[in-house]
Amino acid sequence: MKRNKYALLLFVFMFSLLFMPACQNTDSKSKGLEDLQVSGNQEGGSQENSSEIQGIEEKEEMQEEEKDVVTLGVWKSFRLLDAYIAAFNEEDFGYRIIPRVYYGDGVGKSEEDAMQRMLMELTSGTGPDLVLLDYVDEQSLAQQGYLEDLSVYLAESKLLSKEDFLEGVVNSYTYGGKLVALPRWMAVETLWGKSGMVEEIPDWTVEKMLDLVEKQSSVPLTCDMTREMFLNYCLLFVDKNKLLEIDEGAESFLGRILKQAVTYPEHTSYVQWEEQCWQVRDGEVLLADMTIEYIEQLHMIYSLTDGDELVPIGYPSSDGSPKAILQVVNGLYAIPANAGNKEGAWTFLEHFYAGDLDQRAEKQVSRMLGIPTLKKELEEAVQEEMGKTNVEGKLFLSEEQLRDHVNVLVGMVSTFHASDMPFWNILEEEANIYFKGEKTLEETLQMIENRGSMYLEEAQ
């Protein structure tokens, strides 16, 4: 699904064995030390026994110091993360971060081997104290109890609280009442259209989008439409059970989707978001599929369309609420439930989210980071954009319009989870056979219904 970015996530389902961490017998170690001390006193404190006692004490001191080390598991290291680690280690926070790289920089024979090792460590108690879930599905780990609830730490923090983060972001990573992970920056991908059209579609369901496509058949839905993209639009936020209702055959919900999808090409060239704005403005396409990475893009979209305002309409969903895909920028942080140094892991996260490490990091890495997930930082980004001037004299969004767009976008955000991947793979496999003309639509629908129903029953 979604441009094949989620292939590695399927490894989550390949690991069901639990590994129990080995425990040291600290009582026997203490007893051994006592025996040596008694022996030394009885024999007048011989040089040999004193050296042995000193060696054990030094070893214990080294082990005590190691408790201050926090291991941070990461798929691949990158400059911005290195800068934050360096900034943290130079401060007197009482802990020292050491990265554990699973793939890249000569680590890991293959992506599969690296993923296997990472998942094994996260589920066995031998993993890092803090982890960046770059290629791991946090939902599956959370449901199996492998991730800490960050709400507990935020409730006790003197620097920030859960309410400081955008509600949509918090909701996206809350499972069973537990907030298991948080990004600090994000990008938001969704559909955009002219404001007049959006007002005519108050409930943005998949049926409404299909009606729009059929009614406006002479105008493409988007300028770079492919079969895969159209399926993504229709399926990402739809109830899976609804897709298996095929009594009406070709006129069923899934039948309508596949009939429309087959009319689009398998591949097409990528179109820049600026060009998409122009094409929607000129009526060449109905919608633009754009990823918003920075607040200033909202100003640019408005200026590119000469004030003929484009607004975020969202991807359609089963209940009609518009959706947008939350894309994590620079890492999704979580603390494993079996981490050995949770306090140290949270100390790093707390100061990272609070911005205490920013000055050093941003000096080393000069780049735009994305849309902030913290309300305070998002407000600062909006204020910064409102302070800019347009040297070309074109129209910019007013402060009210800019805030409206920001609020609508962040209010739409949701995530796609790997736990749904097997079902979507079944649908795509059968749909591709239909697209190649090897099966009729009716045969395809029946096969999807049979395989999909069997999967959902086994998954319960």
Side-chain angles (χ1 to χ4, degrees):
M1 299 295 292
K2 206 67 184 170
R3 317 207 200 290
N4 296 321
K5 293 185 291 187
Y6 305 102
L8 280 175
L9 295 176
L10 288 177
F11 280 90
V12 173
F13 305 99
M14 297 174 60
F15 298 91
S16 58
L17 296 178
L18 304 180
F19 300 83
M20 297 301 295
C23 299
Q24 292 182 342
N25 191 333
T26 55
D27 291 337
S28 62
K29 184 174 65 177
S30 300
K31 186 176 184 301
L33 179 57
E34 288 178 1
D35 291 343
L36 284 171
Q37 289 173 333
V38 171
S39 174
N41 291 335
Q42 289 176 342
E43 298 178 11
S46 69
Q47 180 96 21
E48 181 179 352
N49 285 336
S50 297
S51 299
E52 192 169 357
I53 293 171
Q54 183 178 359
I56 292 177
E57 289 177 339
E58 289 176 353
K59 182 178 180 180
E60 288 188 333
E61 288 177 2
M62 290 176 63
Q63 291 175 339
E64 187 67 24
E65 290 177 359
E66 283 300 307
K67 292 180 181 179
D68 296 334
V69 171
V70 177
T71 55
L72 195 166
V74 58
W75 184 248
K76 290 184 179 181
S77 183
F78 52 95
R79 290 181 60 200
L80 184 59
L81 177 63
D82 293 341
Y84 278 112
I85 291 175
F88 181 86
N89 289 343
E90 287 189 1
E91 298 293 334
D92 187 19
F93 293 124
Y95 300 95
R96 181 164 55 93
I97 300 291
I98 295 179
R100 180 182 298 179
V101 179
Y102 287 94
Y103 185 74
D105 300 328
V107 179
K109 296 180 180 179
S110 67
E111 290 188 351
E112 291 78 9
D113 290 339
M115 181 58 66
Q116 181 176 350
R117 178 191 169 209
M118 187 177 190
L119 289 172
M120 184 180 297
E121 291 188 358
L122 287 175
T123 58
S124 67
T126 60
D129 303 305
L130 181 64
V131 63
L132 274 170
L133 301 174
D134 295 337
Y135 292 96
V136 182
D137 179 44
E138 79 288 341
Q139 182 185 27
S140 297
L141 290 175
Q143 290 174 343
Q144 297 177 68
Y146 291 127
L147 299 180
E148 279 284 282
D149 183 3
L150 298 184
S151 299
V152 177
Y153 298 90
L154 286 166
E156 298 176 355
S157 174
K158 296 181 180 179
L159 299 181
L160 48 126
S161 69
K162 185 165 69 173
E163 288 69 29
D164 291 333
F165 291 86
L166 294 168
E167 182 179 0
V169 176
V170 171
N171 291 340
S172 293
Y173 297 106
T174 298
Y175 304 100
K178 294 182 179 181
L179 174 62
V180 299
L182 277 173
R184 189 172 170 192
W185 299 281
M186 65 179 178
V188 182
E189 181 181 0
T190 196
L191 294 172
W192 288 64
K194 289 186 178 180
S195 57
M197 186 195 70
V198 175
E199 292 168 1
E200 297 171 2
I201 309 176
D203 296 320
W204 193 218
T205 63
V206 179
E207 289 93 339
K208 292 283 184 69
M209 190 177 74
L210 290 170
D211 292 341
L212 177 67
V213 170
E214 293 167 1
K215 182 180 179 181
Q216 303 280 354
S217 58
S218 61
V219 182
L221 187 63
T222 65
C223 58
D224 58 345
M225 180 66 71
T226 65
R227 295 169 185 171
E228 181 185 12
M229 289 174 61
F230 186 74
L231 288 178
N232 286 337
Y233 298 159
C234 295
L235 304 179
L236 281 177
F237 300 105
V238 72
D239 181 6
K240 294 187 286 293
N241 290 291
K242 187 174 183 178
L243 294 169
L244 303 182
E245 298 173 358
I246 62 167
D247 292 344
E248 298 181 32
E251 295 307 314
S252 65
F253 181 64
L254 181 56
R256 293 180 65 192
I257 292 173
L258 296 182
K259 279 196 304 181
Q260 185 62 43
V262 77
T263 66
Y264 299 113
E266 183 178 359
H267 303 289
T268 186
S269 58
Y270 175 73
V271 179
Q272 297 288 344
W273 66 271
E274 294 92 342
E275 186 175 347
Q276 292 190 56
C277 291
W278 299 328
Q279 292 190 348
V280 174
R281 178 198 62 189
D282 297 337
E284 297 176 10
V285 296
L286 296 175
L287 303 173
D289 184 3
M290 297 188 290
T291 299
I292 307 303
E293 299 173 319
Y294 319 114
I295 299 297
E296 73 169 340
Q297 281 180 266
L298 302 178
H299 273 314
M300 297 173 67
I301 289 171
Y302 188 71
S303 63
L304 286 170
T305 56
D306 297 322
D308 189 3
E309 190 176 354
L310 295 187
V311 296
I313 183 174
Y315 295 118
S317 67
S318 293
D319 63 6
S321 59
K323 300 291 185 180
I325 296 176
L326 188 163
Q327 297 180 358
V328 173
V329 176
N330 290 316
L332 180 67
Y333 288 87
I335 299 176
N338 50 27
N341 196 343
K342 298 176 184 178
E343 182 179 349
W346 173 249
T347 300
F348 174 82
L349 282 188
E350 185 177 36
H351 290 284
F352 168 69
Y353 290 129
D356 296 340
L357 312 178
D358 285 355
Q359 185 175 9
R360 165 68 187 271
E362 290 180 6
K363 283 182 179 179
Q364 292 192 25
V365 184
S366 177
R367 60 177 296 181
M368 300 178 70
L369 299 176
I371 299 175
T373 62
L374 281 161
K375 296 175 184 177
K376 178 182 177 182
E377 293 186 351
L378 182 60
E379 173 62 24
E380 291 172 353
V382 171
Q383 290 292 338
E384 181 180 347
E385 284 306 313
M386 290 310 303
K388 294 180 179 179
T389 58
N390 185 355
V391 295
E392 296 181 3
K394 292 185 178 179
L395 292 173
F396 266 29
L397 291 168
S398 66
E399 183 171 352
E400 181 180 0
Q401 290 172 316
L402 180 59
R403 290 185 185 279
D404 284 346
H405 282 355
V406 170
N407 291 336
V408 169
L409 275 176
V410 300
M412 289 181 181
V413 294
S414 187
T415 52
F416 177 81
H417 302 294
S419 56
D420 293 327
M421 283 291 289
F423 180 86
W424 300 130
N425 286 339
I426 290 172
L427 194 150
E428 278 195 311
E429 286 173 10
E430 297 300 331
N432 284 330
I433 295 174
Y434 163 65
F435 295 152
K436 294 176 182 178
E438 297 176 6
K439 282 186 180 180
T440 66
L441 179 57
E442 288 72 18
E443 291 171 334
T444 300
L445 292 172
Q446 190 61 59
M447 184 61 71
I448 291 174
E449 196 277 334
N450 292 341
R451 292 184 63 190
S453 297
M454 185 179 300
Y455 168 77
L456 293 180
E457 289 176 4
E458 293 175 350
Q460 290 180 352

mmCIF file of all heavy atoms in Angstrom, residues 57-94:
data_model
loop_
_atom_site.group_PDB
_atom_site.id
_atom_site.type_symbol
_atom_site.label_atom_id
_atom_site.label_comp_id
_atom_site.label_asym_id
_atom_site.label_seq_id
_atom_site.Cartn_x
_atom_site.Cartn_y
_atom_site.Cartn_z
ATOM 1 N N GLU A 57 35.040 -4.677 44.314
ATOM 2 C CA GLU A 57 34.421 -3.364 44.559
ATOM 3 C C GLU A 57 34.530 -2.484 43.325
ATOM 4 O O GLU A 57 33.586 -1.761 42.973
ATOM 5 C CB GLU A 57 35.100 -2.699 45.759
ATOM 6 C CG GLU A 57 34.761 -3.367 47.082
ATOM 7 C CD GLU A 57 35.508 -2.738 48.233
ATOM 8 O OE1 GLU A 57 36.555 -2.081 47.982
ATOM 9 O OE2 GLU A 57 35.068 -2.896 49.374
ATOM 10 N N GLU A 58 35.694 -2.523 42.643
ATOM 11 C CA GLU A 58 35.850 -1.728 41.425
ATOM 12 C C GLU A 58 34.911 -2.208 40.333
ATOM 13 O O GLU A 58 34.336 -1.408 39.587
ATOM 14 C CB GLU A 58 37.302 -1.808 40.940
ATOM 15 C CG GLU A 58 38.266 -1.059 41.831
ATOM 16 C CD GLU A 58 39.697 -1.251 41.381
ATOM 17 O OE1 GLU A 58 39.931 -2.080 40.456
ATOM 18 O OE2 GLU A 58 40.583 -0.581 41.916
ATOM 19 N N LYS A 59 34.720 -3.518 40.245
ATOM 20 C CA LYS A 59 33.795 -4.064 39.249
ATOM 21 C C LYS A 59 32.373 -3.606 39.522
ATOM 22 O O LYS A 59 31.637 -3.240 38.613
ATOM 23 C CB LYS A 59 33.869 -5.591 39.254
ATOM 24 C CG LYS A 59 32.976 -6.255 38.213
ATOM 25 C CD LYS A 59 33.148 -7.763 38.238
ATOM 26 C CE LYS A 59 32.250 -8.415 37.202
ATOM 27 N NZ LYS A 59 32.392 -9.902 37.211
ATOM 28 N N GLU A 60 31.994 -3.606 40.803
ATOM 29 C CA GLU A 60 30.644 -3.172 41.161
ATOM 30 C C GLU A 60 30.460 -1.682 40.890
ATOM 31 O O GLU A 60 29.393 -1.238 40.471
ATOM 32 C CB GLU A 60 30.356 -3.484 42.628
ATOM 33 C CG GLU A 60 30.173 -4.953 42.894
ATOM 34 C CD GLU A 60 29.707 -5.234 44.312
ATOM 35 O OE1 GLU A 60 30.005 -4.407 45.203
ATOM 36 O OE2 GLU A 60 29.055 -6.255 44.516
ATOM 37 N N GLU A 61 31.519 -0.893 41.144
ATOM 38 C CA GLU A 61 31.443 0.531 40.855
ATOM 39 C C GLU A 61 31.259 0.777 39.358
ATOM 40 O O GLU A 61 30.501 1.644 38.943
ATOM 41 C CB GLU A 61 32.712 1.231 41.354
ATOM 42 C CG GLU A 61 32.784 1.334 42.869
ATOM 43 C CD GLU A 61 34.080 1.957 43.332
ATOM 44 O OE1 GLU A 61 34.901 2.337 42.451
ATOM 45 O OE2 GLU A 61 34.278 2.078 44.533
ATOM 46 N N MET A 62 31.973 -0.018 38.542
ATOM 47 C CA MET A 62 31.817 0.118 37.092
ATOM 48 C C MET A 62 30.406 -0.249 36.661
ATOM 49 O O MET A 62 29.805 0.411 35.811
ATOM 50 C CB MET A 62 32.824 -0.781 36.373
ATOM 51 C CG MET A 62 34.262 -0.331 36.505
ATOM 52 S SD MET A 62 35.415 -1.487 35.739
ATOM 53 C CE MET A 62 34.882 -1.368 34.041
ATOM 54 N N GLN A 63 29.845 -1.299 37.264
ATOM 55 C CA GLN A 63 28.479 -1.687 36.936
ATOM 56 C C GLN A 63 27.496 -0.619 37.357
ATOM 57 O O GLN A 63 26.497 -0.376 36.688
ATOM 58 C CB GLN A 63 28.151 -3.022 37.612
ATOM 59 C CG GLN A 63 28.896 -4.204 37.031
ATOM 60 C CD GLN A 63 28.646 -5.478 37.797
ATOM 61 O OE1 GLN A 63 28.244 -5.444 38.959
ATOM 62 N NE2 GLN A 63 28.885 -6.611 37.158
ATOM 63 N N GLU A 64 27.786 0.047 38.500
ATOM 64 C CA GLU A 64 26.914 1.120 38.962
ATOM 65 C C GLU A 64 26.932 2.287 37.979
ATOM 66 O O GLU A 64 25.913 2.897 37.686
ATOM 67 C CB GLU A 64 27.347 1.571 40.364
ATOM 68 C CG GLU A 64 26.394 2.568 41.024
ATOM 69 C CD GLU A 64 25.057 1.927 41.353
ATOM 70 O OE1 GLU A 64 25.001 0.700 41.503
ATOM 71 O OE2 GLU A 64 24.062 2.684 41.445
ATOM 72 N N GLU A 65 28.158 2.594 37.468
ATOM 73 C CA GLU A 65 28.280 3.678 36.497
ATOM 74 C C GLU A 65 27.546 3.354 35.208
ATOM 75 O O GLU A 65 26.994 4.233 34.556
ATOM 76 C CB GLU A 65 29.759 3.939 36.209
ATOM 77 C CG GLU A 65 30.502 4.558 37.380
ATOM 78 C CD GLU A 65 31.979 4.746 37.082
ATOM 79 O OE1 GLU A 65 32.406 4.375 35.963
ATOM 80 O OE2 GLU A 65 32.690 5.259 37.941
ATOM 81 N N GLU A 66 27.522 2.074 34.821
ATOM 82 C CA GLU A 66 26.859 1.682 33.596
ATOM 83 C C GLU A 66 25.356 1.926 33.651
ATOM 84 O O GLU A 66 24.695 2.011 32.638
ATOM 85 C CB GLU A 66 27.137 0.205 33.305
ATOM 86 C CG GLU A 66 28.518 -0.065 32.744
ATOM 87 C CD GLU A 66 28.749 0.662 31.433
ATOM 88 O OE1 GLU A 66 27.921 0.509 30.512
ATOM 89 O OE2 GLU A 66 29.736 1.402 31.336
ATOM 90 N N LYS A 67 24.781 2.022 34.842
ATOM 91 C CA LYS A 67 23.354 2.301 34.966
ATOM 92 C C LYS A 67 23.020 3.683 34.401
ATOM 93 O O LYS A 67 21.881 3.965 34.074
ATOM 94 C CB LYS A 67 22.929 2.211 36.436
ATOM 95 C CG LYS A 67 22.993 0.802 37.013
ATOM 96 C CD LYS A 67 22.552 0.783 38.469
ATOM 97 C CE LYS A 67 22.649 -0.624 39.047
ATOM 98 N NZ LYS A 67 22.250 -0.652 40.480
ATOM 99 N N ASP A 68 24.014 4.556 34.308
ATOM 100 C CA ASP A 68 23.790 5.893 33.785
ATOM 101 C C ASP A 68 23.780 5.921 32.266
ATOM 102 O O ASP A 68 23.465 6.941 31.672
ATOM 103 C CB ASP A 68 24.860 6.854 34.307
ATOM 104 C CG ASP A 68 24.792 7.029 35.807
ATOM 105 O OD1 ASP A 68 23.701 6.842 36.387
ATOM 106 O OD2 ASP A 68 25.836 7.345 36.397
ATOM 107 N N VAL A 69 24.137 4.821 31.643
ATOM 108 C CA VAL A 69 24.154 4.738 30.182
ATOM 109 C C VAL A 69 22.760 4.414 29.673
ATOM 110 O O VAL A 69 22.068 3.553 30.201
ATOM 111 C CB VAL A 69 25.155 3.671 29.707
ATOM 112 C CG1 VAL A 69 25.008 3.418 28.209
ATOM 113 C CG2 VAL A 69 26.568 4.096 30.038
ATOM 114 N N VAL A 70 22.327 5.130 28.628
ATOM 115 C CA VAL A 70 21.037 4.892 27.978
ATOM 116 C C VAL A 70 21.317 4.487 26.535
ATOM 117 O O VAL A 70 21.926 5.248 25.784
ATOM 118 C CB VAL A 70 20.142 6.143 28.003
ATOM 119 C CG1 VAL A 70 18.837 5.893 27.255
ATOM 120 C CG2 VAL A 70 19.854 6.572 29.433
ATOM 121 N N THR A 71 20.900 3.293 26.155
ATOM 122 C CA THR A 71 21.078 2.868 24.773
ATOM 123 C C THR A 71 19.868 3.302 23.951
ATOM 124 O O THR A 71 18.720 3.118 24.358
ATOM 125 C CB THR A 71 21.237 1.342 24.675
ATOM 126 O OG1 THR A 71 20.124 0.716 25.314
ATOM 127 C CG2 THR A 71 22.516 0.892 25.335
ATOM 128 N N LEU A 72 20.136 3.878 22.791
ATOM 129 C CA LEU A 72 19.087 4.357 21.893
ATOM 130 C C LEU A 72 19.141 3.537 20.613
ATOM 131 O O LEU A 72 20.091 3.659 19.831
ATOM 132 C CB LEU A 72 19.259 5.849 21.609
ATOM 133 C CG LEU A 72 18.076 6.594 20.997
ATOM 134 C CD1 LEU A 72 18.282 8.114 21.108
ATOM 135 C CD2 LEU A 72 17.816 6.243 19.545
ATOM 136 N N GLY A 73 18.150 2.682 20.415
ATOM 137 C CA GLY A 73 18.107 1.853 19.220
ATOM 138 C C GLY A 73 17.582 2.613 18.022
ATOM 139 O O GLY A 73 16.558 3.287 18.103
ATOM 140 N N VAL A 74 18.302 2.508 16.907
ATOM 141 C CA VAL A 74 17.925 3.231 15.699
ATOM 142 C C VAL A 74 18.225 2.364 14.488
ATOM 143 O O VAL A 74 19.215 1.628 14.474
ATOM 144 C CB VAL A 74 18.669 4.587 15.617
ATOM 145 C CG1 VAL A 74 20.157 4.387 15.630
ATOM 146 C CG2 VAL A 74 18.233 5.386 14.400
ATOM 147 N N TRP A 75 17.352 2.413 13.496
ATOM 148 C CA TRP A 75 17.549 1.630 12.274
ATOM 149 C C TRP A 75 18.806 2.076 11.560
ATOM 150 O O TRP A 75 19.688 1.289 11.264
ATOM 151 C CB TRP A 75 16.324 1.779 11.390
ATOM 152 C CG TRP A 75 16.345 0.946 10.150
ATOM 153 C CD1 TRP A 75 16.440 1.396 8.867
ATOM 154 C CD2 TRP A 75 16.258 -0.482 10.063
ATOM 155 N NE1 TRP A 75 16.416 0.340 7.972
ATOM 156 C CE2 TRP A 75 16.304 -0.826 8.696
ATOM 157 C CE3 TRP A 75 16.146 -1.485 11.010
ATOM 158 C CZ2 TRP A 75 16.247 -2.144 8.256
ATOM 159 C CZ3 TRP A 75 16.090 -2.810 10.565
ATOM 160 C CH2 TRP A 75 16.136 -3.120 9.200
ATOM 161 N N LYS A 76 18.897 3.363 11.272
ATOM 162 C CA LYS A 76 20.095 3.961 10.685
ATOM 163 C C LYS A 76 20.381 5.272 11.397
ATOM 164 O O LYS A 76 19.472 6.029 11.709
ATOM 165 C CB LYS A 76 19.904 4.240 9.191
ATOM 166 C CG LYS A 76 19.847 3.016 8.304
ATOM 167 C CD LYS A 76 19.744 3.422 6.836
ATOM 168 C CE LYS A 76 19.713 2.210 5.921
ATOM 169 N NZ LYS A 76 19.638 2.602 4.499
ATOM 170 N N SER A 77 21.639 5.544 11.630
ATOM 171 C CA SER A 77 22.013 6.802 12.261
ATOM 172 C C SER A 77 21.913 7.938 11.241
ATOM 173 O O SER A 77 22.066 7.721 10.035
ATOM 174 C CB SER A 77 23.445 6.715 12.791
ATOM 175 O OG SER A 77 23.793 7.900 13.471
ATOM 176 N N PHE A 78 21.625 9.153 11.729
ATOM 177 C CA PHE A 78 21.591 10.319 10.847
ATOM 178 C C PHE A 78 22.096 11.543 11.610
ATOM 179 O O PHE A 78 22.120 11.560 12.844
ATOM 180 C CB PHE A 78 20.186 10.559 10.284
ATOM 181 C CG PHE A 78 19.094 10.621 11.326
ATOM 182 C CD1 PHE A 78 18.676 11.832 11.844
ATOM 183 C CD2 PHE A 78 18.467 9.463 11.769
ATOM 184 C CE1 PHE A 78 17.666 11.905 12.787
ATOM 185 C CE2 PHE A 78 17.460 9.512 12.709
ATOM 186 C CZ PHE A 78 17.052 10.732 13.225
ATOM 187 N N ARG A 79 22.521 12.546 10.886
ATOM 188 C CA ARG A 79 23.260 13.668 11.461
ATOM 189 C C ARG A 79 22.475 14.405 12.533
ATOM 190 O O ARG A 79 23.028 14.805 13.560
ATOM 191 C CB ARG A 79 23.669 14.641 10.352
ATOM 192 C CG ARG A 79 24.740 14.117 9.421
ATOM 193 C CD ARG A 79 25.080 15.157 8.374
ATOM 194 N NE ARG A 79 25.566 16.383 8.982
ATOM 195 C CZ ARG A 79 25.582 17.565 8.375
ATOM 196 N NH1 ARG A 79 25.116 17.671 7.140
ATOM 197 N NH2 ARG A 79 26.047 18.625 8.981
ATOM 198 N N LEU A 80 21.181 14.609 12.313
ATOM 199 C CA LEU A 80 20.404 15.354 13.288
ATOM 200 C C LEU A 80 20.329 14.605 14.615
ATOM 201 O O LEU A 80 20.480 15.190 15.683
ATOM 202 C CB LEU A 80 18.997 15.616 12.748
ATOM 203 C CG LEU A 80 18.102 16.488 13.647
ATOM 204 C CD1 LEU A 80 18.725 17.850 13.880
ATOM 205 C CD2 LEU A 80 16.720 16.634 13.036
ATOM 206 N N LEU A 81 20.113 13.311 14.557
ATOM 207 C CA LEU A 81 20.075 12.517 15.782
ATOM 208 C C LEU A 81 21.430 12.553 16.480
ATOM 209 O O LEU A 81 21.496 12.691 17.707
ATOM 210 C CB LEU A 81 19.684 11.076 15.461
ATOM 211 C CG LEU A 81 19.674 10.115 16.653
ATOM 212 C CD1 LEU A 81 18.636 10.540 17.676
ATOM 213 C CD2 LEU A 81 19.404 8.686 16.186
ATOM 214 N N ASP A 82 22.500 12.423 15.716
ATOM 215 C CA ASP A 82 23.841 12.489 16.309
ATOM 216 C C ASP A 82 24.056 13.818 17.029
ATOM 217 O O ASP A 82 24.682 13.863 18.094
ATOM 218 C CB ASP A 82 24.906 12.320 15.222
ATOM 219 C CG ASP A 82 24.904 10.925 14.614
ATOM 220 O OD1 ASP A 82 24.356 10.010 15.259
ATOM 221 O OD2 ASP A 82 25.435 10.765 13.507
ATOM 222 N N ALA A 83 23.527 14.892 16.446
ATOM 223 C CA ALA A 83 23.688 16.206 17.061
ATOM 224 C C ALA A 83 22.927 16.300 18.376
ATOM 225 O O ALA A 83 23.420 16.866 19.358
ATOM 226 C CB ALA A 83 23.205 17.288 16.098
ATOM 227 N N TYR A 84 21.722 15.745 18.424
ATOM 228 C CA TYR A 84 20.949 15.767 19.669
ATOM 229 C C TYR A 84 21.608 14.900 20.736
ATOM 230 O O TYR A 84 21.609 15.252 21.923
ATOM 231 C CB TYR A 84 19.515 15.312 19.413
ATOM 232 C CG TYR A 84 18.635 16.413 18.884
ATOM 233 C CD1 TYR A 84 18.146 16.373 17.586
ATOM 234 C CD2 TYR A 84 18.309 17.507 19.673
ATOM 235 C CE1 TYR A 84 17.358 17.396 17.085
ATOM 236 C CE2 TYR A 84 17.519 18.539 19.186
ATOM 237 C CZ TYR A 84 17.048 18.470 17.897
ATOM 238 O OH TYR A 84 16.269 19.492 17.409
ATOM 239 N N ILE A 85 22.143 13.756 20.346
ATOM 240 C CA ILE A 85 22.839 12.905 21.303
ATOM 241 C C ILE A 85 24.052 13.633 21.876
ATOM 242 O O ILE A 85 24.290 13.624 23.090
ATOM 243 C CB ILE A 85 23.257 11.584 20.629
ATOM 244 C CG1 ILE A 85 22.024 10.737 20.317
ATOM 245 C CG2 ILE A 85 24.230 10.809 21.523
ATOM 246 C CD1 ILE A 85 22.332 9.474 19.537
ATOM 247 N N ALA A 86 24.820 14.295 21.012
ATOM 248 C CA ALA A 86 25.998 15.039 21.467
ATOM 249 C C ALA A 86 25.600 16.165 22.414
ATOM 250 O O ALA A 86 26.253 16.399 23.439
ATOM 251 C CB ALA A 86 26.759 15.598 20.261
ATOM 252 N N ALA A 87 24.512 16.868 22.086
ATOM 253 C CA ALA A 87 24.047 17.965 22.939
ATOM 254 C C ALA A 87 23.631 17.443 24.310
ATOM 255 O O ALA A 87 23.928 18.055 25.341
ATOM 256 C CB ALA A 87 22.878 18.683 22.273
ATOM 257 N N PHE A 88 22.949 16.306 24.340
ATOM 258 C CA PHE A 88 22.507 15.726 25.616
ATOM 259 C C PHE A 88 23.694 15.270 26.443
ATOM 260 O O PHE A 88 23.762 15.536 27.654
ATOM 261 C CB PHE A 88 21.566 14.548 25.343
ATOM 262 C CG PHE A 88 21.041 13.893 26.589
ATOM 263 C CD1 PHE A 88 19.906 14.381 27.223
ATOM 264 C CD2 PHE A 88 21.676 12.772 27.121
ATOM 265 C CE1 PHE A 88 19.418 13.776 28.372
ATOM 266 C CE2 PHE A 88 21.191 12.159 28.266
ATOM 267 C CZ PHE A 88 20.063 12.668 28.899
ATOM 268 N N ASN A 89 24.645 14.596 25.811
ATOM 269 C CA ASN A 89 25.790 14.061 26.540
ATOM 270 C C ASN A 89 26.694 15.148 27.100
ATOM 271 O O ASN A 89 27.411 14.917 28.079
ATOM 272 C CB ASN A 89 26.603 13.126 25.630
ATOM 273 C CG ASN A 89 25.881 11.817 25.356
ATOM 274 O OD1 ASN A 89 24.944 11.449 26.060
ATOM 275 N ND2 ASN A 89 26.314 11.111 24.316
ATOM 276 N N GLU A 90 26.688 16.324 26.509
ATOM 277 C CA GLU A 90 27.526 17.414 27.000
ATOM 278 C C GLU A 90 26.905 18.130 28.193
ATOM 279 O O GLU A 90 27.589 18.846 28.911
ATOM 280 C CB GLU A 90 27.784 18.419 25.876
ATOM 281 C CG GLU A 90 28.750 17.900 24.818
ATOM 282 C CD GLU A 90 29.157 18.980 23.839
ATOM 283 O OE1 GLU A 90 28.686 20.126 24.004
ATOM 284 O OE2 GLU A 90 29.931 18.688 22.925
ATOM 285 N N GLU A 91 25.604 17.937 28.401
ATOM 286 C CA GLU A 91 24.931 18.560 29.543
ATOM 287 C C GLU A 91 24.998 17.633 30.756
ATOM 288 O O GLU A 91 25.265 16.436 30.638
ATOM 289 C CB GLU A 91 23.473 18.861 29.202
ATOM 290 C CG GLU A 91 23.287 19.849 28.064
ATOM 291 C CD GLU A 91 23.772 21.242 28.420
ATOM 292 O OE1 GLU A 91 23.785 21.572 29.630
ATOM 293 O OE2 GLU A 91 24.144 21.998 27.497
ATOM 294 N N ASP A 92 24.732 18.210 31.943
ATOM 295 C CA ASP A 92 24.790 17.434 33.182
ATOM 296 C C ASP A 92 23.407 16.907 33.530
ATOM 297 O O ASP A 92 22.785 17.325 34.510
ATOM 298 C CB ASP A 92 25.338 18.303 34.317
ATOM 299 C CG ASP A 92 25.570 17.493 35.593
ATOM 300 O OD1 ASP A 92 25.656 16.261 35.484
ATOM 301 O OD2 ASP A 92 25.651 18.107 36.678
ATOM 302 N N PHE A 93 22.895 15.974 32.712
ATOM 303 C CA PHE A 93 21.581 15.391 32.963
ATOM 304 C C PHE A 93 21.663 14.083 33.759
ATOM 305 O O PHE A 93 20.645 13.510 34.112
ATOM 306 C CB PHE A 93 20.859 15.123 31.640
ATOM 307 C CG PHE A 93 20.495 16.368 30.888
ATOM 308 C CD1 PHE A 93 20.924 16.554 29.582
ATOM 309 C CD2 PHE A 93 19.730 17.363 31.482
ATOM 310 C CE1 PHE A 93 20.583 17.699 28.878
ATOM 311 C CE2 PHE A 93 19.383 18.512 30.792
ATOM 312 C CZ PHE A 93 19.814 18.691 29.489
ATOM 313 N N GLY A 94 22.883 13.613 34.019
ATOM 314 C CA GLY A 94 23.045 12.406 34.810
ATOM 315 C C GLY A 94 23.040 11.125 34.008
ATOM 316 O O GLY A 94 23.160 10.034 34.594
#
